Amino acid sequence: MYRYMQLMNNLEELIAATPYKDGHKLPSIRTLASQFACSKSTIIKALEELEKRHLIYAMPKSGYYVVKGIISADDSTGSMLDFAQTAPDPALFPYLDFQHCINKAIDTYQKDLFLYGTSKGMDSLIEMARKQLTSYQVFAAEQHVFIVSGIQQALSLLAAMPFPNGKSQILIEQPGYHLFLSYLETRRLPVIGIERGHAGLDFDRLETLFRTGDIKFFYTMPRFHNPLGCSYTRKEKQLLARLAAKYDVYIVEDDYLADFEQDSKADPIYAYDSSSHVIYLKSYSKIIFPGLRIGIAVLPDSLTEPFREYKRQNDIDSSMLSQAALEIYLRSGMFERHRSRIRDRYAARAALLDSALTREASVGGAFTYIRPKQPMIHTHILLDPSLSEATIISRLQQESILLQSIEPDYLSGFPRMNLLKLNVTNVKEDRIEEGIGRIIGLIAQSARK
């Protein structure tokens, strides 16, 4: 990311953290250059970009002044604490940046927008996606990369199409992605589950299922599992790749939170695949916004043609306007600026969530919290068997605290863990500790009854 873009993030944070009002003057260019240890030209470039986005305005021979109304969108004034919402925090989205990209896309690709694209996706976006994927240690040739209308579309196509191994059953970790579970059960596709807890999978059980079952593919979220919040170790990812090759079972790797990884050495399962048995899926719904409906699927040679044909019959192509806007967003460097900002903010919220739960767990109570290696914006606590998750969620709602039930994350009839999901994607930093304190207090109160 360019230095001036990082500086734009710093200046936005300065404005948001300082009690500025509309029309208040920013420090001088010389002062800012000294404060952020950079050249005056870099400061001027960052200020000019912020001015284009109407976050500040310039007065000749006077300086730069704040347009506070836009910056203060991040403030929290509501009484409701939402620990259920998983969509990105709207206050952190760079609306003006993306609006610029949409307008630029219409100007640049105006003729293409009136044509049907290809089932594979826009060539220029595929090329940008390929370059970006290398930062996740996913190195793929152009013919292996597809643009999809969200990860949900990719999963539905993979579930429906035939695989070279001739098998039909889908194996999915439990708990798992609720929309995919609903899709499989609604269409009565053959599916079985395998339990995944904070400690991971029972790999002996997994190998038995691979060896004796009719497993077409195993769907997994190796990084920051939702709702558990935990990740596989490197050895576990390597083992999964070996088992897939040994038993001719494909792995569908949903790496939807790759952009929030802090450990540069944490590679996906795809990086350890030497037998072309790993399908890699990348989403933009959590880092940009769900309505974009753009995802990336990386498939081995044996699956590219059937996937292309099933996708063509499904929707011809993903939204050309969304693809064009995203291509410009990636190419311009705006995505890197946004990713840096939102990753830092989410990391701060994750740390506060982990700290609050660790502190509450240290005094004991009717729940268990196991700290993850890397805190994430969502996690879980295990409730005492005597407590009802549904009752606690209902009582918390009466106290203006929203949580989401674990029930939709399980296949019908699969044994459920008695856990409570917690997500701070849309909880501001200054309210996380308060919210966790109230949740644990109500749990303790319920345990005494």
Side-chain angles (χ1 to χ4, degrees):
M1 181 169 63
Y2 296 118
R3 178 71 179 99
Y4 81 88
M5 288 189 166
Q6 179 62 53
L7 187 58
M8 287 168 65
N9 288 347
N10 295 336
L11 290 173
E12 285 187 40
E13 290 169 4
L14 171 68
I15 295 170
T18 308
Y20 285 109
K21 294 182 180 179
D22 279 317
H24 275 206
K25 186 179 180 180
L26 287 173
S28 69
I29 292 172
R30 183 188 300 274
T31 300
L32 290 172
S34 175
Q35 180 176 344
F36 292 104
C38 62
S39 67
K40 288 192 289 185
S41 62
T42 303
I43 292 288
I44 292 170
K45 175 68 173 174
L47 291 171
E48 288 176 345
E49 288 298 317
L50 290 178
E51 185 180 12
K52 289 177 184 178
R53 289 157 177 75
H54 307 291
L55 301 177
I56 61 176
Y57 63 93
M59 291 286 288
K61 299 182 179 180
S62 177
Y64 289 88
Y65 295 80
V66 171
V67 181
K68 184 65 176 178
I70 295 175
I71 294 293
S72 63
D74 193 37
D75 294 339
S76 176
T77 57
S79 60
M80 182 69 71
L81 283 170
D82 188 351
F83 284 86
Q85 182 62 255
T86 62
D89 184 350
L92 299 181
F93 182 70
Y95 295 95
L96 296 170
D97 281 4
F98 208 79
Q99 182 182 54
H100 166 78
C101 292
I102 291 175
N103 292 336
K104 186 70 172 176
I106 292 173
D107 290 339
T108 304
Y109 297 103
Q110 50 186 293
K111 293 182 180 179
D112 295 330
L113 299 180
F114 290 90
L115 302 172
Y116 287 113
T118 68
S119 56
K120 200 168 183 305
M122 181 182 285
D123 289 341
S124 57
L125 176 56
I126 288 175
E127 184 56 33
M128 284 305 307
R130 285 182 61 238
K131 292 178 180 178
Q132 188 189 48
L133 287 172
T134 61
S135 66
Y136 314 129
Q137 295 303 301
V138 174
F139 299 92
E142 180 275 334
Q143 64 267 26
H144 296 156
V145 180
F146 285 76
I147 307 300
V148 291
S149 301
I151 295 305
Q152 179 67 8
Q153 183 193 47
L155 290 172
S156 64
L157 295 175
L158 292 169
M161 60 186 262
F163 271 51
N165 57 16
K167 301 176 184 180
S168 61
Q169 202 165 48
I170 295 167
L171 178 64
I172 186 166
E173 55 197 6
Q174 296 285 271
Y177 180 28
H178 67 286
L179 289 178
F180 189 38
L181 295 177
S182 177
Y183 174 88
L184 294 171
E185 292 197 313
T186 299
R187 286 157 182 77
R188 298 183 180 180
L189 295 174
V191 55
I192 59 173
I194 181 170
E195 183 176 356
R196 179 174 175 182
H198 190 278
L201 291 170
D202 179 343
F203 278 88
D204 289 336
R205 169 67 176 160
L206 183 72
E207 183 169 10
T208 298
L209 290 172
F210 277 18
R211 185 180 67 250
T212 63
D214 187 38
I215 308 300
K216 172 180 170 179
F217 68 75
F218 171 46
Y219 168 75
T220 181
M221 289 178 275
R223 190 176 351 223
F224 309 130
H225 180 279
N226 189 4
L228 300 178
C230 53
S231 303
Y232 290 137
T233 65
R234 178 186 299 181
K235 288 184 178 180
E236 288 173 329
K237 294 174 187 176
Q238 292 170 335
L239 178 56
L240 274 169
R242 288 198 301 271
L243 291 175
K246 183 176 180 179
Y247 297 106
D248 194 17
V249 173
Y250 287 82
I251 304 291
V252 176
E253 178 178 19
D254 189 346
D255 202 14
Y256 76 115
L257 289 180
D259 293 301
F260 298 99
E261 180 62 71
Q262 301 284 340
D263 181 2
S264 60
K265 297 181 180 179
D267 295 334
I269 303 170
Y270 185 92
Y272 305 112
D273 177 31
S274 59
S275 65
S276 297
H277 274 79
V278 177
I279 300 157
Y280 182 85
L281 305 181
K282 164 77 176 71
S283 171
Y284 290 97
S285 66
K286 303 303 181 189
I287 189 69
I288 302 180
F289 58 91
L292 183 66
R293 305 314 302 146
I294 295 292
I296 306 295
V298 181
L299 296 101
D301 275 329
S302 59
L303 292 174
T304 56
E305 285 310 311
F307 190 86
R308 186 199 306 269
E309 182 60 22
Y310 270 69
K311 187 174 185 302
R312 185 186 67 81
Q313 295 173 10
N314 183 270
D315 72 348
I316 303 178
D317 196 7
S318 302
S319 164
M320 290 294 289
L321 180 58
S322 291
Q323 289 188 72
L326 179 59
E327 187 268 332
I328 292 169
Y329 194 55
L330 294 174
R331 176 163 45 85
S332 67
M334 291 181 186
F335 175 81
E336 287 301 322
R337 168 175 125 80
H338 169 61
R339 179 166 68 170
S340 175
R341 180 176 183 235
I342 196 172
R343 183 163 53 189
D344 289 346
R345 292 294 296 273
Y346 279 6
R349 295 180 189 184
L352 289 167
L353 174 64
D354 176 64
S355 176
L357 287 172
T358 301
R359 184 166 50 254
E360 294 288 350
S362 67
V363 298
F367 75 97
T368 301
Y369 173 62
I370 302 174
R371 299 188 72 180
K373 182 178 179 182
Q374 179 183 325
M376 193 53 193
I377 50 175
H378 62 264
T379 189
H380 72 285
I381 57 175
L382 285 169
L383 297 173
D384 187 276
S386 64
L387 297 177
S388 165
E389 178 229 20
T391 300
I392 287 175
I393 290 176
S394 177
R395 291 188 60 195
L396 285 169
Q397 186 170 0
Q398 295 172 19
E399 300 293 328
S400 298
I401 298 177
L402 297 181
L403 272 77
Q404 193 174 62
S405 172
I406 191 67
E407 186 174 352
D409 300 323
Y410 280 97
L411 292 166
S412 301
F414 196 95
R416 294 171 172 78
M417 291 187 287
N418 192 28
L419 62 81
L420 205 60
K421 300 195 296 184
L422 299 167
N423 193 308
V424 293
T425 302
N426 283 267
V427 183
K428 299 299 183 287
E429 287 92 324
D430 60 357
R431 303 201 69 191
I432 291 173
E433 184 175 0
E434 169 206 343
I436 293 300
R438 289 169 60 188
I439 290 170
I440 300 305
L442 188 140
I443 291 173
Q445 187 182 77
S446 300
R448 290 193 294 268
K449 291 185 177 181

